[in-house]
Amino acid sequence: MPRHFLTLLDLQREELLALTERAIELKALRGRPEHPRPLAGKSVAVLMEKASTRTRISFEVGIHELGGAPIALVGRDLQLGRNEPLGDTAKVLSRYLSAVVVRTHGHDRLEELAAASEVPFVNALTDSFHPCQLLADLMTIREKRAAGLEDLHVAWVGDGNNMAHSWILAASLLDFRLTLACPEGYRPDEQVLALGRAQKAGQIELCASVEDAVKGAHVVTTDVWASMGQEQEAAARIEAFADYTVTAQHMEQAASDAIFLHCLPAHRGEEVAAEVIDGPASHVWDQAENRLHSQKALLELLLGPQASAPK
Ligand code: CP
Ligand code: NVA
C-alpha cells in the first residue's frame, strides 16, 4: 500500500512538525550544491482538473529541484476526460510514475484514484481539502512568529470551505486554538468539524461574528467567497458574505503582532480589504513562495531514501 497524502491526517503530529522544519532547511539550501536530489531518476505527474497558478508551478519546480522529472497533465487531455475509469487511470499512471499530484473536484474522486494506485497520490486541492496549502501556511507562521507554532491562536474568516476544513485538521493535529467566523449556511462541514474535534483536544470554535473570531488572534486568514466550481453562486455569496471582509479594524482587534495570511488568489474589497493584504501584517508572498519549500519536504518524505510507511 503506497503512502498517500490526501489530508493532513495522513501525517502524524511529529511528522508535520518535522516537515515544517525540513522545509525551512530546504529553503536555505535552495540553489546550493548540497541541496538534496532524492527524486533523481524519478518522474512525478502533476494532474490538474481545475485551474492553478501556485500549486502547479511550485510542484513542477520543486520536483525538478529535487532531481526528478515533472510531468504536467491536464485532465481533459487524458482519456480520463473521455470517461476512462479513475481506477484504470490510476493503475496505468502507477506503471510510469513515482507519484501523482492531483487537483480535482470531489474528494471521493481523489480517494478512488489513490485506492487503485501503486504509487503515492498527493492532494493538490479537492472541493473538501487543500492540505499542501496548510504545509506552507504552518511554515510561514513558524518563520514569522517569534513563538512559532506554540500557544497559537488562528482566526478563520469567511467560507467554511476546503481551506477552512484544512485549518480544522491542522488545529486538531497540532492542538492550537482555531476560531472560525462563517455566515449561516456557509459553515464548515459537520463531519469535518467532528473529525477535527475527535482528535486530541484541539480548541475549534465557531464564533457568532468576525470580531469574536479575530479578538487576540495571532494569525488572521481568509479565502475567496466563491471557490472553483461555485462561480454560478458568486452573486448570492457576495450578499451572504457582506459582513465578512477582513478589515484593518479587525487586524487591530487581533494580537498586536498578528499576521495576515491568504492562500491566493485574492479578491481585494471582497474577503479582504486592500490595505490589509497589501499592508505590513500581510505575508502572502512569502506564504506563496513557501508552497515550493514545504512541498519539496513532503515529496522527500514520501519518495526520498528515508521514505517510511504510514505510522
Ligand atoms: N493557493 C493555491 O492553491 O493557488 P493556485 O490555485 O494558484 O494553485
Ligand atoms: N477555496 C479556493 C482555494 C483556491 C486555492 C478554491 O477551492 O477555489
Side-chain angles (χ1 to χ4, degrees), residues 156 158-161 164 181-189 225 230 233 236-238 240-241:
W156 173 266
D159 194 15
N161 63 11
C182 310
E184 184 80 44
Y186 297 96
R187 303 221 162 108
D189 184 87
W225 291 343
Q230 298 172 333
E233 297 173 31
R237 283 171 169 266
I238 285 179
F241 286 83

Side-chain angles (χ1 to χ4, degrees), residues 51-56 103 130 133 228 263-265 291:
S52 172
T53 297
R54 284 144 286 270
T55 309
R56 63 177 294 183
R103 170 167 288 191
H130 194 7
Q133 180 67 52
M228 289 182 276
C263 63
L264 305 177
R291 298 293 305 277

Side-chain angles (χ1 to χ4, degrees), residues 14-158:
E14 295 311 321
E15 286 177 322
L16 178 55
L17 291 171
L19 192 151
T20 306
E21 298 308 313
R22 180 60 178 159
I24 291 170
E25 281 172 23
L26 288 173
K27 186 171 186 172
L29 287 172
R30 191 172 184 212
R32 293 170 61 163
E34 60 270 37
H35 187 286
R37 293 170 58 84
L39 300 191
K42 298 184 179 188
S43 299
V44 175
V46 182
L47 167 57
M48 291 292 171
E49 294 196 308
K50 288 177 175 172
S52 172
T53 297
R54 284 144 286 270
T55 309
R56 63 177 294 183
I57 299 171
S58 57
F59 263 112
E60 288 181 34
V61 170
I63 293 160
H64 173 72
E65 291 184 6
L66 291 173
I71 312 287
L73 302 173
V74 179
R76 65 175 177 276
D77 294 342
L78 304 183
Q79 296 291 5
L80 190 61
R82 297 177 58 246
N83 290 328
E84 181 166 11
L86 290 163
D88 291 1
T89 301
K91 285 192 182 94
V92 172
L93 293 179
S94 301
R95 298 296 173 100
Y96 306 129
L97 298 157
S98 294
V100 184
V101 176
V102 183
R103 170 167 288 191
T104 190
H105 303 274
H107 194 72
D108 53 348
R109 218 173 143 75
L110 175 64
E111 286 178 332
E112 195 175 333
L113 284 164
S117 173
E118 294 159 24
V119 300
F121 266 66
V122 172
N123 183 355
L125 181 146
T126 62
D127 293 346
S128 304
F129 298 103
H130 194 7
C132 289
Q133 180 67 52
L134 260 287
L135 301 182
D137 298 1
L138 295 170
M139 174 184 175
T140 308
I141 296 169
R142 168 69 184 75
E143 282 182 333
K144 303 295 174 190
R145 184 169 174 256
L149 299 166
E150 293 296 317
D151 294 322
L152 179 64
H153 173 190
V154 176
W156 173 266
V157 178

Side-chain angles (χ1 to χ4, degrees), residues 140-268:
T140 308
I141 296 169
R142 168 69 184 75
E143 282 182 333
K144 303 295 174 190
R145 184 169 174 256
L149 299 166
E150 293 296 317
D151 294 322
L152 179 64
H153 173 190
V154 176
W156 173 266
V157 178
D159 194 15
N161 63 11
N162 46 9
M163 279 299 304
H165 290 167
S166 301
W167 276 106
I168 288 168
L169 298 190
S172 72
L173 254 186
L174 298 185
D175 205 17
F176 60 78
R177 182 167 177 225
L178 176 66
T179 48
L180 303 105
C182 310
E184 184 80 44
Y186 297 96
R187 303 221 162 108
D189 184 87
E190 284 297 333
Q191 279 184 324
V192 177
L193 273 172
L195 187 64
R197 287 170 168 161
Q199 302 290 315
K200 188 173 150 292
Q203 304 169 70
I204 299 165
E205 300 159 44
L206 291 179
C207 299
S209 68
V210 179
E211 288 71 19
D212 285 351
V214 300
K215 193 160 183 268
H218 306 118
V219 178
V220 178
T221 185
T222 184
D223 186 15
V224 290
W225 291 343
S227 285
M228 289 182 276
Q230 298 172 333
E231 290 78 7
Q232 72 293 347
E233 297 173 31
R237 283 171 169 266
I238 285 179
E239 220 165 285
F241 286 83
D243 296 331
Y244 288 79
T245 302
V246 176
T247 62
Q249 290 72 35
H250 294 136
M251 293 306 294
E252 277 166 26
Q253 291 157 2
S256 55
D257 55 354
I259 65 170
F260 175 79
L261 297 179
H262 190 312
C263 63
L264 305 177
H267 295 76
R268 289 168 176 77

